[in-house]
Each structure stands twice: as C-alpha cells, then as structure tokens.
Amino acid sequence: MSLATDGNLSMTDVAHERGSLAGRVMRHVALFLGVMLVWELASYYQFVDPLILPRPTAIAAALVNMVLYQGTVWFHLGVTLWEAVAGFVIGSAIGIGLAVAAGLNESFRRYISPYIIALQVTPRIALAPIVIAWLGFGMMPKIAIGALICFFPPFINTLTGLLNVDEDANEMFRSLGAKKRQIFFSLMLPNAMPIIMAGLKTAISLALIGAIVGEFISASEGMGVLMQRYTFALNMASSFAVLVILTAMGYVLFLLMEWADNWLVYWRHDARMTAISRKKAKAWAGVAGRR
Amino acid sequence: MNAIASHLVAASTSHIDPDIVISARDLVKAFNSEVVALDRASFDIRRGSFVSLVGPSGCGKSTLLRLVAGLIGKSAGELSVLGHGVTGPSHDVGMMFQRPTLLEWRTAVENVLLPTEVQGTTTDADRRRAIELLQLVGLRDFEFSFPRQLSGGMQQRVALARLLQTGANILLLDEPFGALDEFTRERLNLELLRIVDDVEATVLFVTHNISEAIFLADQVMVMTPRPGRLAKIVDVPFERPREIALMQTPEFNSLVGEVRSILGGH
Ligand SMILES: Nc1ncnc2c1ncn2[C@@H]1O[C@H](COP(=O)(O)OP(=O)(O)OP(=O)(O)O)[C@@H](O)[C@H]1O
Ligand SMILES: [Mg+2]
C-alpha cells in the first residue's frame, strides 16, 4: 500500500462530496493561488510590512536557496527529526508501558495517578530549562523534553483503551477459561489499539514541538536554531522558509502515523479490511477445501 | 415460600443421579444486602434436555446463568454441574450472550477458533471443524468476513458457531437472538433446535418471550422478580421435532396461558 492511497483513504468521506477528482484538485489549487496572489500584492503594495510578513515569492526564493544551494538545512533538519523521533519513541514507550502496568494492576494505578495528573496539569514545557540544566547541551535534553511533553496522550489513551473493554466480551473470555495473559493479548490490547494509535498521532507532533522548544532555549544545531538565527537577523523570508520545511516534516510524520494506523488497525479501514479478508481466504484455501 | 418452591421442583433429591447435569438447592445470589438477584432456587436439569428460562426483566435470569457458568460466585446454597460443585468456568459449560461479543479484528472463522486457541494449540482439524460449524449455522462463504461486514443476525450465528466450537455439552444461552427481528429469530430458533439435537447438548435458554420459551423447551422455568424467584417449572409435553404450526394449537395456547398466569400473579 502506498502512502498516497492511504492519505486519500483517511479523507474519503470528505472526498466523495461532489465533482471529479481533477475538478476538485483544480478548485483547491485555484483557491491556494488566489490567497497567495492577494498576499503577494498586499506585501508588494506595502499594505503589510514585508519585514513582518514577507512576500510568498520571497519565501519561495529563500526556500529554494536553502534547499538547493545552501545545503546546511539538511543537517539541521536531520538533527531536529532525530530529536523529535527519539523523543516520540521514548515518551510513547514510557507512556504505553506505564499505562499497561496501570491497566493490569489496580493498586499501581492508584499509586501513580496523582503523579500523572500532577505532571499533566503542569505546563511541562516549563520544565524545559530545568531539563537542559540537568542534561547540558546536545541532543539529549531535546529528546528528553520531547519525551516529557509527548508521553501523556499515549499514556492516557492506552489506559482508557485497556480499561474500556466490553464487559460481555470479558465474561466470554472468562467462560472459555482464558488466563489473564490471554485476555490481555487477545482482547484488551487489540481492543485498545485504535485509541492508542490516536494517542500516538498526537504524541508525534508534541515531540516535534518539544524538540524545537529545546532548541530555542539552548542549542547550536537544529531547525529551531536556524529559525532563531534568521529571525534575529530579520531575514524573515528565510524564517518563513524554515517554517514551511517544518510544516512539511510534520506532515510527513503525520502521514507515517496514518499509514501505521491503517496497517495496525486494519479492521477500521474498509479497503484494507477487505484486502486482508481476501488474503486470508486464499491462505485458508487448503483447509476450507474450496475456492 | 421456600417450601412451595422446593415441592414444585421435578423430583430427584439424589445428587449422584448421572442423568442430572445441573443441580441447584436453595441457591442464593445477593449482590449486596439489598439486591437479592436470586432467592433460594432449587432445580435439576436432565442430560440432553432443553430448558427455557422466562421472566420479566431483572428477575435474575442472567444471574442464574452466570452462576452456572462459574462467572460469579453464589452467596448461599448448592450448585453442581456434572456432579461437581461449581467453583469457576469449566470446559463442559459454554455461554452465549445477548450481544455477539465478536472480536472485530478477527474474521468469522478466527472468531470461531477463539475457544480452541484459548485452550491450547490449533490444529488443522480444529480449523476444518470451525469451517464446518460456520456452514452448519448457515454462513458458508462468510468465513473470512470481518464482524463489521456481517449483519446482526449473521454475527449472532458466528457467536453460536463459536459456542459449539468449545465442545461444551452444556450450553447456556442468554437471550441469544433477543436483539433480532422476529423472522430472523424464529428461523435461528429452528436452526438452534436442529443443531443442539445434533450435538446432543443440554441447553438452558433465557428469553422474554413466553411462546418462544415453550416452543423450544422440554421444560420452562418461570421466574418472578424482586427478589428473583423460581416460581414454577412447567413441563412441555409436545413431541419433537416440532413445527411452527404447533404454536397455533389450543394445547400450546393453554400452556402459554398457564405460564402467563404464573407471571401475572406477581
Ligand atoms: N453486578 C451486579 N451488581 C449489582 N446488582 C446486580 C448485578 N448484576 C445484576 N444485578 C441485579 O440483579 C438483578 C437481576 O439481574 P439479572 O441481570 O439477572 O436480570 P435478568 O433477569 O437477566 O434481566 P434481563 O431480562 O433484563 O436481562 C437485577 O435487579 C440487577 O439489578
Ligand atoms: Mg439478562
């Protein structure tokens, strides 16, 4: 399955509205170009100060220059991407791990919940300077900040998903003589999968925020540094170009998560469910004795 | 009250009669000091018999089933299945719920195989059996569909196939087709009769519907609420196999009237 089809898939409900594909694409492109044109003219005729809001063409030029000629942007992008992904992986692993422990053990749940709530109501981004004071410079503190601010959605979603098991299904398993371990792996975990994935989708963008904020506070590399450098030099076109690259990066990460969701939670996606159903029929052909 | 209930129970005081598969004596289930869901129920269920359980909502039908299934513990009295006191779920007893409780991430046949998986490793023979059971419940060609691709009635058939896959000989069905329309329910009831006859199971079948209860059963246990009591056990004398036309006969209707008057008295 390619990324493109999966991207479409999540938007099929919207897409079916009306008109042909080409027509719809045309309308979107026309609207986008229209907005750009208004912006360009507003900036050109000094309705807005180009120092505050640079012209789209200037941003595009800065972007092309940055990506094609300067080359260093790739390095900074790599640093930020690595920080965000590592923060996401660590934060999610801790969040999901704690949630599984809390979901399986009620007394553990009671003991940790005050701390989890305290951590949740704290604006965790405020911990960033402290984390940097602890971990010094380099990528580690940014990863830690990302992990710290992104761990909550996977935690709370996993816990909710695990506890939100249909009581009848639970009794059905028990009536079959299922052990706790079997109930966990065959019922609770798959049942929680859709909501866990939703938590992970939120977490990945939070981890990216954590990495950038960490870079704002203290760093010598990364997209946050680049952004500050250009802004302080009042090179706003380049600042906006950095922003565009960050948006693209965030979007790619989001698409990856959509793809993972489509893959793991196949039973909520019609196209993949049908495909799997067909594949299983084929795999079972020997046993079923026909087809 | 207790005296009345126990003399209404079909004879047999012996606990070692091999023909009695479920036996209860003064069985009580109280959820807390106020809610007595089941008050001193005594009954014996014979091997191979089909017993219906009727009564208004909240009279303790599901509670009785869950006690027999070993899903909840009794508060007092005695309850034994196949001569042994019930202490927890047993492979001899299978239960089916009002809702299909299928796992939506599994195909129909994978759902049917769940009991086998829980008990150990799955062999090709188990897989063939699962396919056969799906065909038995009329789901040929839907073995690899996911629950979301099946109608409510079809989902309930998968649940029935899964129940049969357990190999349990005592089947507890809690309003298994209650959520379905009357046509589908009638057809599934007939199929159920044919199937349990095939596998020689003992069945305890909960329903709200008096005619349905009588039509299916050898005996009807009539329950009344607050507190949940077993008011009477009515024998159903009609020959098997039964046809739908039976429901139009005066004998059938007088039995319906009898059950209704027991329920109406409360
Ligand atoms: N877990 C529980 N905790 C407390 N009370 C319960 C519990 N389960 C059932 N009860 C109570 O026990 C009584 C009998 O419930 P039960 O579910 O057995 O009724 P029922 O005959 O199956 O009703 P229905 O036909 O509506 O399914 C009810 O008053 C109910 O409120
Ligand atoms: Mg009930």
Side-chain angles (χ1 to χ4, degrees), chain B residues 31-32 35-38 55-64 66 72 98 174-175 206 208 223 226:
Chain B
F31 281 103
N32 48 51
V35 185
V36 180
L38 192 66
S57 190
C59 68
K61 305 181 296 293
S62 299
T63 302
L64 178 55
R66 290 162 75 217
I72 54 175
Q98 178 164 10
D174 196 348
E175 296 182 57
V206 170
H208 279 126
M223 296 183 70
R226 275 176 292 275

Side-chain angles (χ1 to χ4, degrees), chain A residues 1-272:
Chain A
M1 279 240 152
S2 75
L3 262 180
T5 39
D6 293 342
N8 276 339
L9 211 118
S10 59
M11 299 178 203
T12 34
D13 297 343
V14 193
H16 276 301
E17 271 171 18
R18 69 195 112 103
S20 67
L21 180 71
R24 279 199 313 273
V25 169
M26 282 305 292
R27 277 200 295 275
H28 278 284
V29 169
L31 181 65
F32 178 77
L33 290 180
V35 170
M36 287 299 127
L37 187 67
V38 170
W39 179 356
E40 182 79 30
L41 294 175
S43 211
Y44 183 80
Y45 290 110
Q46 308 270 320
F47 289 133
V48 288
D49 186 347
L51 212 59
I52 294 169
L53 199 58
R55 286 151 52 191
T57 45
I59 296 173
L63 189 63
V64 167
N65 181 40
M66 212 177 274
V67 170
L68 294 185
Y69 303 111
Q70 267 178 347
T72 54
V73 70
W74 296 114
F75 166 73
H76 294 287
L77 187 64
V79 168
T80 301
L81 185 63
W82 170 245
E83 290 166 352
V85 170
F88 165 74
V89 169
I90 293 169
S92 305
I94 293 173
I96 293 174
L98 280 177
V100 167
L104 291 179
N105 186 325
E106 210 188 317
S107 62
F108 181 69
R109 181 157 76 239
R110 263 201 309 276
Y111 281 111
I112 68 159
S113 61
Y115 302 99
I116 298 285
I117 291 169
L119 206 54
Q120 168 60 7
V121 296
T122 308
R124 273 155 298 157
I125 209 78
L127 287 169
I130 302 176
V131 172
I132 287 177
W134 283 344
L135 296 177
F137 304 100
M139 289 199 267
M140 265 323 284
K142 285 86 181 179
I143 294 172
I145 294 166
L148 197 63
I149 72 163
C150 87
F151 100 100
F152 196 76
F155 171 82
I156 197 69
N157 280 24
T158 305
L159 187 58
T160 308
L162 291 179
L163 295 183
N164 184 13
V165 161
D166 178 44
E167 193 44 47
D168 281 357
N170 199 21
E171 289 215 326
M172 186 270 291
F173 266 82
R174 288 210 295 128
S175 79
L176 296 176
K179 295 177 195 65
K180 232 186 151 184
R181 184 183 53 81
Q182 290 174 315
I183 296 184
F184 178 76
F185 283 109
S186 300
L187 176 63
M188 294 168 79
L189 196 59
N191 184 63
M193 222 38 223
I195 181 166
I196 293 177
M197 286 310 297
L200 292 180
K201 280 184 210 170
T202 314
I204 191 107
S205 29
L206 287 176
L208 184 54
I209 292 175
I212 301 279
V213 169
E215 288 169 359
F216 280 171
I217 294 174
S218 130
S220 51
E221 54 200 37
M223 296 302 274
V225 172
L226 220 52
M227 172 69 107
Q228 272 184 328
R229 219 179 268 163
Y230 287 127
T231 313
F232 292 161
L234 291 183
N235 183 351
M236 297 311 276
S238 293
S239 292
F240 274 84
V242 169
L243 195 62
V244 169
I245 295 174
L246 281 175
T247 302
M249 177 164 121
Y251 190 60
V252 168
L253 290 176
F254 171 79
L255 281 184
L256 279 174
M257 295 307 295
E258 286 276 295
W259 174 79
D261 184 66
N262 193 50
W263 192 255
L264 290 168
V265 192
Y266 55 84
W267 61 93
R268 293 283 171 88
H269 300 273
D270 287 335
R272 225 177 97 68

Side-chain angles (χ1 to χ4, degrees), chain A residues 166 168 171-172 174 176 178 182 186 190-191 266-268 270 273 277 280-281 284 287 290-291, chain B residues 66 71 89 91 97 99 101 104-105 109-110 113-114 118 127 135 141 143-144 146 148-149 162 166:
Chain A
D166 178 44
D168 281 357
E171 289 215 326
M172 186 270 291
R174 288 210 295 128
L176 296 176
Q182 290 174 315
S186 300
N191 184 63
Y266 55 84
W267 61 93
R268 293 283 171 88
D270 287 335
M273 184 168 74
S277 164
K280 294 215 157 140
W284 274 66
V287 179
R290 68 204 144 82
R291 278 190 189 88
Chain B
R66 290 162 75 217
L71 292 170
H91 291 324
F97 300 82
R99 290 184 303 118
T101 65
E104 54 172 339
W105 47 91
V109 69
E110 287 168 343
L113 276 168
L114 183 71
V118 167
R127 294 192 184 92
Q135 289 168 8
D141 292 335
E143 296 95 333
F144 305 103
F146 284 89
R148 235 159 38 82
Q149 299 169 311
R162 179 180 61 194
T166 61

